[in-house]
């Protein structure tokens, strides 16, 4: 039989720590008892008998008592089952998103019930409690592990999730143009125009820079597919439109970290 003891917050007891233990009157050491619990601890204090203590505790309430079994002792040894995370369709063909992604974690338990869900951002070294949501906004490839724990501390096998963020920026738009299928001259011209936009931003002429982006967007939208592949063209336009609408070059949102909310 498995014998494990946990604190109320779900962490295992420290075998080298010191704790206060309460036992019932039957277990408390008497002169003729075979239970010699005193030898395992220090400073024993004998209080009222357990029956009287229960009576006094119930009398202390001045409102109706709503009792729910805690499940501290259970024969439930089956771990919870994690639901697969379903993300909305990525913005780019490489599976990346131009913006932060909100992740919802869910689990079910056929036994005593779910206690909580945890997630790890460092390959399982440390775990954080998941509450209402997890917001991914760190540039690049983000790896998240998550697991569920039931009320008697059965832990599910972790699952892994990857979220790839490509920030909407003029530099990344240039990268899309470079990778695109199309006429070399057209691509060279677009790259030069976008590089000029970056220089305009560096001169703190934001309005002029965004106006230039709008003109570049219009020019790309009019290009025939033989000059710039249709799929590539749509991705470049989507990136530029996002930059223009959200003003990501000047919003100060540099994807500083992987956040939980």
């Amino acid at each position: 039989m498995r014998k494990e003891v946990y604190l109320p917050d779900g962490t295992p007891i420290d075998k080298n720590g010191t704790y206060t233990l309460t036992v019932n009157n039957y277990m408390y050491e008497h002169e003729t008892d075979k239970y010699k619990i005193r030898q395992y601890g220090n400073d024993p204090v004998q209080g009222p008998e357990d029956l009287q203590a229960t009576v006094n505790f119930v009398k202390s309430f001045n409102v109706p008592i709503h009792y729910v079994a805690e499940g501290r002792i259970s024969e439930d040894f089956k771990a919870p089952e994690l639901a697969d995370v379903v993300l909305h369709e990525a913005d780019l063909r490489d599976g990346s998103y131009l913006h932060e992604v909100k992740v919802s974690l869910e689990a079910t338990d056929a036994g005593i019930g779910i206690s909580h869900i945890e997630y790890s951002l460092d390959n399982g070294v440390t775990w954080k409690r998941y509450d209402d949501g997890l917001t991914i906004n760190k540039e690049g490839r983000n790896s998240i592990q998550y697991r569920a724990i039931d009320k008697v501390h059965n832990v599910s096998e972790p699952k892994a999730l990857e979220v790839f963020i490509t920030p909407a920026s003029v530099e990344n738009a240039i990268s899309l143009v470079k990778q695109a299928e199309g006429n070399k001259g057209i691509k060279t011209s677009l790259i030069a125009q976008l590089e000029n936009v970056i220089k305009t931003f560096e001169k703190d002429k934001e309005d002029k820079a965004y106006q230039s982006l709008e003109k570049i967007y219009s020019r790309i939208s009019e290009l025939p597919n033989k000059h710039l592949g249709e799929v590539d063209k749509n991705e470049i336009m989507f990136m530029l439109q996002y930059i223009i609408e959200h003003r990501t070059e000047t919003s100060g949102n540099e994807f500083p970290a992987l956040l939980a909310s």
Side-chain angles (χ1 to χ4, degrees):
M1 178 180 292
R2 186 178 63 181
K3 302 178 183 68
E4 297 176 4
V5 182
Y6 298 86
L7 299 177
D9 64 359
T11 58
I13 63 168
D14 180 359
K15 294 181 179 180
N16 297 317
T18 300
Y19 300 93
T20 299
L21 175 67
T22 300
V23 300
N24 58 25
N25 184 60
Y26 179 76
M27 290 293 296
Y28 188 79
E29 183 175 332
H30 300 87
E31 291 183 2
T32 60
D33 285 343
K34 63 179 180 180
Y35 300 108
K36 303 299 180 183
I37 198 170
R38 185 190 301 267
Q39 64 183 302
Y40 299 108
N42 299 307
D43 305 320
V45 177
Q46 186 172 14
E49 293 183 353
D50 46 5
L51 177 59
Q52 188 58 50
T54 302
V55 171
N56 294 340
F57 177 71
V58 173
K59 285 183 176 180
S60 70
F61 288 88
N62 54 15
V63 294
I65 299 174
H66 176 64
Y67 172 76
V68 178
E70 296 178 351
R72 291 178 297 163
I73 301 174
S74 173
E75 294 182 356
D76 175 12
F77 301 116
K78 187 175 181 181
E81 293 186 5
L82 289 166
D84 291 328
V85 174
V86 179
L87 300 176
H88 62 79
E89 184 178 357
D91 296 323
L92 302 179
R93 279 176 294 169
D94 63 2
S96 65
Y97 298 85
L98 302 183
H99 47 79
E100 65 183 24
V101 177
K102 188 69 172 288
V103 175
S104 296
L105 304 179
E106 298 179 352
T108 57
D109 185 67
I112 198 166
I114 299 292
S115 170
H116 62 280
I117 298 175
E118 297 177 335
Y119 65 92
S120 174
L121 311 179
D122 52 12
N123 199 32
V125 177
T126 58
W127 293 87
K128 296 182 180 180
R129 191 182 184 105
Y130 169 84
D131 291 315
D132 296 328
L134 179 62
T135 301
I136 314 300
N137 67 354
K138 182 180 178 182
E139 180 179 349
R141 193 173 299 279
N142 300 284
S143 179
I144 305 99
Q145 291 186 350
Y146 57 104
R147 66 187 183 186
I149 302 173
D150 68 14
K151 294 180 180 178
V152 286
H153 308 286
N154 295 308
V155 183
S156 67
E157 287 293 326
K159 285 190 175 183
L161 169 70
E162 282 197 341
V163 177
F164 188 27
I165 303 290
T166 299
S169 68
V170 178
E171 287 186 352
N172 284 333
I174 291 174
S175 296
L176 290 179
V177 174
K178 289 180 178 179
Q179 298 167 14
E181 295 280 344
N183 180 278
K184 184 177 180 180
I186 295 293
K187 290 172 56 177
T188 300
S189 175
L190 290 175
I191 291 170
Q193 292 176 58
L194 290 170
E195 288 176 342
N196 285 333
V197 171
I198 292 176
K199 294 177 182 178
T200 305
F201 274 118
E202 291 173 348
K203 295 177 182 178
D204 294 327
K205 297 180 180 180
E206 297 173 6
D207 290 339
K208 183 178 179 180
Y210 281 113
Q211 290 172 3
S212 297
L213 284 178
E214 290 174 356
K215 292 178 181 179
I216 296 172
Y217 176 91
S218 296
R219 181 192 173 194
I220 294 174
S221 67
E222 296 171 355
L223 289 173
N225 294 339
K226 65 180 181 179
H227 288 165
L228 197 62
E230 182 178 7
V231 176
D232 294 305
K233 181 170 72 173
N234 289 338
E235 284 198 339
I236 296 167
M237 291 173 59
F238 184 82
M239 172 87 74
L240 293 179
Q241 184 179 35
Y242 194 93
I243 296 171
I244 295 167
E245 290 184 355
H246 296 84
R247 299 182 76 86
T248 56
E249 289 289 346
T250 54
S251 66
N253 181 11
E254 286 119 5
F255 299 92
L258 187 63
L259 304 177
S261 61

